[in-house]
Amino acid sequence: MLIYSFLNANYQIAVISDNFVIHTTDGKFPVTQSFIEELNQRIDQLQMGTGVYLDARADIYVVPDAKSYALLTGGKGRIVEFSSAFYSSLDHRIYIRSPEQIYSNYNGIIMHEYTHWFLDEILRKAPLWFHEGMATQQGNQLGLDRYYYYIRERFWGNKMDLIKLAENYPQQPADWDLYYITSYYAVQYMKNKNPESWKNFWEIVADNYRIGKITIFSDAFYNAYHKDLWQFNEDFSVESKRQAYVYIFTGLGTFILILMPIILIFAHFKQRKKMKALPDLEYPDDSSEDEDDNLY
């Protein structure tokens, strides 16, 4: 709390929008108006997609330099210390490095952390995989390379157990990427496998919010999907393994089709080489055949 008090004493409001307030140390935020508008649009889409419309604004604190960020994140775990931004559930604030410390997707990083804040305002005891899956989805932070990485890992039997990691991040940094990707696809499975249940889930959350009630995640999940989180974990594990086999073999077939012209050309030249290696045949002399005909 002493760190927060020290930082808060130096912060000023730089931007006030419908959905968030940005605080900086000098009261300035070096981004364009279109940046602010795009971020507001993305937040509006999140709220429309869930049917939950918040009256509150998220507080976003832009940390001016790497030293201040290290001071702020010290002791919070390596995944936070090495991050570009984080949401603090203790004081319900988003902290992000200044734009010059982040080279790309600054808007998406804020959106990722806003999603954590949004879920924390309306849900209690939501598993960490749901938080990170929703945040990664809203932040648009999943590239094609990470998708293929996920498929490869699942094909070889590597997976993350959603139950064991419902409250804590993996200890090893090497496992962080797979955890985020698995969380993303768990939310996608929850959404796409049964769209009606997904809709029912958010209707329960929205109805509770309108009467001033925070929704317990497991209760809403069970009422919407008619299964508990343990069974969901089992179903997701089976489905993701099956999808891994489908995509691997589909990709293998596509790869073979791409190679087919090369294979045919190679076979053609190999056949020509074999034909050239055959010995020349001696053909019979036509004049000798004429002499034989004169004998009759």
Side-chain angles (χ1 to χ4, degrees):
M1 295 303 295
L2 291 177
I3 293 176
Y4 291 155
S5 298
F6 169 76
L7 290 171
N8 292 344
N10 297 315
Y11 277 85
Q12 304 173 49
I13 294 177
V15 175
I16 299 179
S17 78
D18 293 339
N19 296 304
F20 55 85
V21 180
I22 296 178
H23 307 258
T24 64
T25 53
D26 59 3
K28 299 178 181 179
F29 189 52
V31 296
T32 62
Q33 183 61 31
S34 62
F35 176 94
I36 302 298
E37 291 174 356
E38 180 187 349
L39 186 54
N40 268 314
Q41 288 174 1
R42 293 176 71 168
I43 291 172
D44 289 342
Q45 288 173 0
L46 169 63
Q47 297 193 11
M48 286 188 291
T50 59
V52 184
Y53 299 90
L54 302 188
D55 297 324
R57 296 184 179 99
D59 284 308
I60 303 170
Y61 284 74
V62 181
V63 185
D65 52 60
K67 183 178 179 180
S68 298
Y69 195 80
L71 180 65
L72 183 64
T73 59
K76 296 183 181 302
R78 287 186 295 172
I79 197 167
V80 176
E81 292 172 354
F82 288 105
S83 68
S84 296
F86 72 96
Y87 165 69
S88 171
S89 59
L90 293 176
D91 52 12
H92 298 276
R93 293 175 181 170
I94 296 166
Y95 294 92
I96 185 169
R97 295 177 185 268
S98 56
E100 62 269 16
Q101 299 178 68
I102 301 175
Y103 301 110
S104 63
N105 199 24
Y106 199 81
N107 197 307
I109 293 171
I110 294 179
M111 192 65 207
H112 181 110
E113 301 307 329
Y114 177 89
T115 304
H116 286 307
W117 175 86
F118 175 80
L119 295 176
D120 202 37
E121 291 289 306
I122 59 178
L123 292 171
R124 287 292 177 268
K125 299 181 181 179
L128 187 57
W129 62 261
F130 183 77
H131 260 274
E132 293 301 350
M134 286 286 294
T136 300
Q137 180 187 80
Q138 295 299 320
N140 194 24
Q141 295 165 300
L142 187 67
L144 191 61
D145 57 332
R146 299 178 77 188
Y147 167 73
Y148 286 128
Y149 167 72
Y150 170 75
I151 292 300
R152 185 191 69 198
E153 292 300 305
R154 288 300 295 120
F155 180 78
W156 293 112
N158 299 327
K159 67 175 182 177
M160 292 288 176
D161 190 302
L162 300 180
I163 298 299
K164 291 181 180 179
L165 296 173
E167 298 181 0
N168 299 298
Y169 292 98
Q171 292 294 321
Q172 299 302 319
D175 295 329
W176 293 346
D177 203 34
L178 183 59
Y179 183 79
Y180 278 105
I181 301 171
T182 301
S183 298
Y184 172 90
Y185 282 109
V187 171
Q188 287 295 96
Y189 178 72
M190 181 179 170
K191 179 180 180 180
N192 297 333
K193 183 65 175 180
N194 194 331
E196 189 64 27
S197 294
W198 175 261
K199 178 183 176 183
N200 292 340
F201 173 84
W202 286 113
E203 285 180 349
I204 293 170
V205 177
D207 288 344
N208 284 337
Y209 182 76
R210 280 191 286 269
I211 62 174
K213 182 180 177 181
I214 302 297
T215 300
I216 303 300
F217 180 89
S218 58
D219 293 345
F221 184 91
Y222 185 83
N223 289 331
Y225 286 86
H226 307 294
K227 66 175 69 173
D228 57 25
L229 292 174
W230 183 88
Q231 185 59 55
F232 174 81
N233 180 46
E234 293 296 307
D235 293 346
F236 171 67
S237 180
V238 171
E239 177 67 14
S240 60
K241 184 69 173 180
R242 186 186 70 82
Q243 288 295 322
Y245 278 107
V246 170
Y247 286 120
I248 287 293
F249 287 117
T250 300
L252 182 61
T254 303
F255 181 70
I256 292 174
L257 288 176
I258 293 173
L259 288 181
M260 188 61 68
I262 300 175
I263 295 172
L264 292 175
I265 292 172
F266 176 77
H268 171 72
F269 282 105
K270 189 173 183 180
Q271 183 66 22
R272 285 187 60 183
K273 186 177 180 181
K274 286 183 178 180
M275 293 296 294
K276 288 182 179 180
L278 292 174
D280 293 334
L281 299 176
E282 295 185 3
Y283 293 95
D285 189 354
D286 292 340
S287 61
S288 63
E289 291 180 0
D290 293 340
E291 291 176 359
D292 292 338
D293 291 340
N294 295 331
L295 294 176
Y296 295 95

